[in-house]
Amino acid sequence: MTSNAGGQQSDSSGVVASRSASSLWLRLLFLSSIAAVLALAVTSVVAAVMNGGQGVLSVAFGGVLVMVFFAISLLIGHFVGRDNPSGAVGLFVASYFVKVVGFAVVLFVLGAPSWLHGRWFVIGAVVAVVFWQAAEIYGFSKARLQIYNDPEARKGDNDVHP
């Protein structure tokens, strides 16, 4: 099983040719980051009106924390997925465990800073998750992934089979 998620594409002879385009994982990282940052910017404006700088900092802290942990999976896909696309799936599952535990450790180790507004922290984290995931889904839906190798063309064989 092969995948062109790492920028690989088969030509008509079945030979894998390298493309100059960046990897799927880095494009998803860029797209998801932009979507989350834009959504957090809008959320920060609302937080600033309602709770001032404390609300903005809380939105930013919650959003950035989520974005950092979500970026880990896409970076795993970029570095591991290009050499072993099937093995990347297992690492994705492990990275979700690391994200949940890591998120909890960060919150318990750092504790709640005095400036943190709990409601805006949660709102920022939820906004980042929703927009990040929506952008990932959109990006995956637009990706053209070759899952199986194309069948070998035999001499004199046509594409029509009874």
Side-chain angles (χ1 to χ4, degrees), residues 120-140:
W120 284 113
F121 173 80
V122 170
I123 290 171
V126 169
V127 165
V129 167
V130 168
F131 280 85
W132 185 284
Q133 291 297 304
E136 270 191 10
I137 290 168
Y138 174 78
F140 271 118

Side-chain angles (χ1 to χ4, degrees), residues 31-90:
L31 180 67
S32 299
S33 297
I34 294 297
V37 165
L38 291 175
L40 288 170
V42 171
T43 307
S44 293
V45 170
V46 175
V49 169
M50 296 181 77
N51 288 100
Q54 182 183 16
V56 173
L57 285 174
S58 299
V59 166
F61 184 54
V64 168
L65 196 57
V66 166
M67 290 174 62
V68 165
F69 282 104
F70 272 59
I72 292 169
S73 292
L74 294 177
L75 291 173
I76 287 172
H78 174 68
F79 290 110
V80 176
R82 62 182 157 180
D83 295 328
N84 186 5
S86 300
V89 173

